[in-house]
């Protein structure tokens, strides 16, 4: 595989060129959905030498792939289910992500499993992470778990509840910023020649002689609809899989059941611990995770409950948040409460379901790849860590009966944008601090977000020196906000606040206090006039108000009704933003 020497910027102009190219020629493969699996499938296909299109109805990673637990891990729950094959596969992929594919975005993180029942807990946890050591699969993280007594556990976790935590087991997993990783996958695919576009919704499939031969796509930014012809189409729409399949009469061998997972974000000083924490609850595992994008926060979750409402905006309820607080407070000498929470997010796991199972915690986390009708491949299920395997399997099936010979998958050897030379560059922190005019901590922040692509950010600052200024009181530079539009595909204010940065979950203001400044920075690069800029700010404010109100509701139905009442920055051409603001 050739080295990626010139990454393509996901600029607004590049998006338009991608749409025009998809409308003008027949592709080998069209991938629907730019979550981690869809973006991975586009990269897999294009690096086999195929012509590829990738369309996403909303933003890159705007669904499940930006709302995970931010971990790349083997999965203790799968060991308890004796699913060693899935664990081995996940550990192998964890190693690839940390060592080869995205070392700038993924890092090892130490966890302690606090023991409340020392004999029983130590037996199964120790055996489980011992299997981690045996299966290893290339590591990626420090090897060998350690059993800790009460004193050693307290040294790592000083905030442990006295009389409850009576020991621990220490081991390592991997963590990453999922939203940035998925966006980087899409950008890497574009850099190898894929046509990549967000805000491009599939509204129907094209069919001929009983085959799917492409899709009718609507550009949600302009309202323009156009046909995209493709020899093979891959449905990688995650939670929206069934919705797309309904366009073909619901043809499928399985259905998708959405499971809601909620996380809260709290300041780092609210929990006194040197490591992350993992414990088992009655429903799932609970993680207290050092925030991958900031050393000032913890991410705590998750829940595992069925969701039957709006797929684009799953809402956390008061009951969800109360559950997480109750579970984590079992371990804490000083409990945390609602007043400590600065961010809440909810995502949907697309689980494979057969029959009438309603218990999402017991549904399959494995993936399936099928051909429901000729010309169409459907990939669903799975977990974030094994996205590359899912993508490979989907493209393998898609090209199996294509005329001619197609190269095998090589994505285990394809570093993402920013990965190449990252380690060499990271050894030059002092020089980078001087070049950017920032302190070493900011250099670490930039390298952890951009890797070697930080040189593009430097070029932006050299062209416009005032962009070197910090954004308000945040750790972000103004250049990062502009770069999100010029290089990372952001088209709307909430793309920047919720996924290119994490300002939406880093303070009690939820980004409202900085929204106007961010909007003014990106407006010239997106061609917004003052009226459009004002609408984007208003929409974001309404979104935050709705989310906060939803978080106070008792039931999913009540929370959903409030959340979907807020206007959406992405809309069809027939329902303009002005109308939404009067809803």
């Amino acid at each position: 595989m050739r080295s990626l020497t010139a990454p393509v910027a996901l600029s607004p102009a590049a998006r338009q060129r991608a749409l025009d190219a998809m409308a003008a020629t027949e592709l080998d493969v069209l991938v629907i959905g730019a979550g981690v699996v869809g973006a991975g499938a586009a990269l897999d296909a294009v690096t086999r030498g195929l012509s590829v299109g990738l369309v996403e109805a909303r933003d890159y990673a705007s669904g499940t792939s930006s709302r995970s637990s931010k971990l790349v891990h083997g999965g203790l729950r799968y060991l308890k289910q004796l699913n060693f094959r899935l664990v081995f596969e996940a550990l192998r992929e964890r190693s690839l992500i940390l060592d080869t594919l995205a070392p700038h975005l993924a890092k090892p993180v130490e966890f302690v499993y606090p023991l409340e029942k020392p004999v029983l807990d130590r037996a199964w946890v120790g055996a489980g992470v011992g299997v981690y050591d045996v299966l290893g699969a290339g590591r990626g993280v420090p090897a060998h778990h350690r059993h800790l007594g009460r004193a050693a556990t307290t040294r790592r976790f000083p905030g442990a509840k006295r009389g409850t935590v009576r020991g621990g087991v220490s081991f390592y997993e991997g963590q990453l910023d999922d939203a940035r990783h998925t966006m980087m996958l899409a950008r890497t695919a574009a850099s190898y020649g894929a046509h990549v576009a967000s805000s491009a919704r599939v509204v129907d499939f094209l069919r001929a002689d009983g085959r799917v031969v492409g899709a009718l796509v609507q550009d949600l930014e302009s309202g323009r609809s156009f046909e995209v012809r493709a020899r093979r189409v891959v449905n990688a729409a995650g939670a929206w899989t069934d919705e797309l399949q309904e366009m073909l009469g619901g043809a499928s061998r399985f259905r998708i059941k959405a499971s809601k997972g909620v996380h809260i974000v709290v300041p780092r000083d609210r929990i006194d611990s040197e490591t992350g924490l993992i414990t088992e609850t009655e429903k799932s595992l609970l993680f207290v995770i050092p925030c991958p994008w900031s050393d000032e926060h913890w991410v705590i979750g998750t829940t595992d409950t069925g969701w039957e409402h709006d797929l684009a905006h799953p809402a956390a309820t008061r009951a969800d948040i109360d559950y997480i607080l109750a579970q984590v407070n079992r371990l804490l000498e000083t409990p945390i409460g609602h007043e400590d929470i600065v961010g809440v997010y909810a995502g949907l796991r697309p689980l494979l379901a057969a029959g009438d199972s309603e218990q999402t915690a017991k549904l399959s986390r494995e993936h399936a790849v099928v051909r429901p009708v000729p010309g169409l491949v459907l990939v669903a299920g799975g977990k974030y860590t094994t996205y590359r395997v899912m993508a490979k399997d989907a493209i393998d099936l898609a090209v199996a009966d294509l005329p001619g010979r197609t190269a095998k998958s090589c994505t285990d050897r394809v570093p993402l944008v920013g990965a190449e030379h990252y380690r060499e560059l990271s050894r030059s922190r002092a020089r980078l601090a001087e070049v950017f005019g920032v302190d070493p901590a900011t250099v670490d922040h930039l390298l952890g977000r951009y890797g070697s692509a930080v040189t593009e950010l430097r070029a932006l600052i050299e062209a416009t020196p005032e962009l070197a200024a910090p954004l308000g009181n945040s750790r972000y530079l103004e250049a990062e906000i502009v770069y999100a539009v010029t290089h990372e595909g952001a088209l709307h204010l909430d793309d920047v606040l919720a996924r290119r940065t994490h300002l939406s979950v880093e303070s009690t203001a939820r980004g409202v206090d900085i929204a106007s400044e961010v909007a003014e920075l990106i407006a010239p690069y997106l061609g917004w006039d003052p009226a459009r800029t004002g609408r984007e700010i208003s929409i974001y404010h309404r979104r935050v108000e709705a989310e906060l109100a939803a978080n106070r509701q008792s039931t999913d139905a009540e929370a959903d009704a409030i959340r979907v009442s807020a206007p959406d920055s992405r809309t069809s051409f027939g329902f303009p933003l002005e109308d939404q603001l009067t809803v």
Side-chain angles (χ1 to χ4, degrees), residues 418-435:
E420 289 191 292
H421 309 302
Y422 157 71
R423 290 187 175 91
E424 294 87 342
L425 196 61
S426 67
R427 289 193 284 268
S428 304
R429 285 179 171 81
R431 181 177 62 82
L432 286 172
E434 184 178 346
V435 168

Side-chain angles (χ1 to χ4, degrees), residues 110-118 121-122 125 146-171 271-279 298 330-333:
E110 184 184 6
F111 282 94
V112 166
Y113 192 111
L115 304 178
E116 299 173 72
K117 302 173 183 176
D121 287 352
R122 194 178 295 279
V125 176
R146 287 186 290 177
H147 286 266
L148 308 174
R150 187 185 307 219
T153 300
T154 302
R155 283 194 294 273
R156 283 175 171 76
F157 177 22
K161 190 170 188 177
R162 292 188 291 273
T164 297
V165 176
R166 301 164 69 184
V169 178
S170 165
F171 62 102
I271 297 177
D272 189 4
S273 181
E274 299 298 317
T275 74
L277 306 171
I278 298 179
T279 190
W298 297 102
R330 285 175 29 225
L331 304 175
L332 302 179
E333 181 66 21

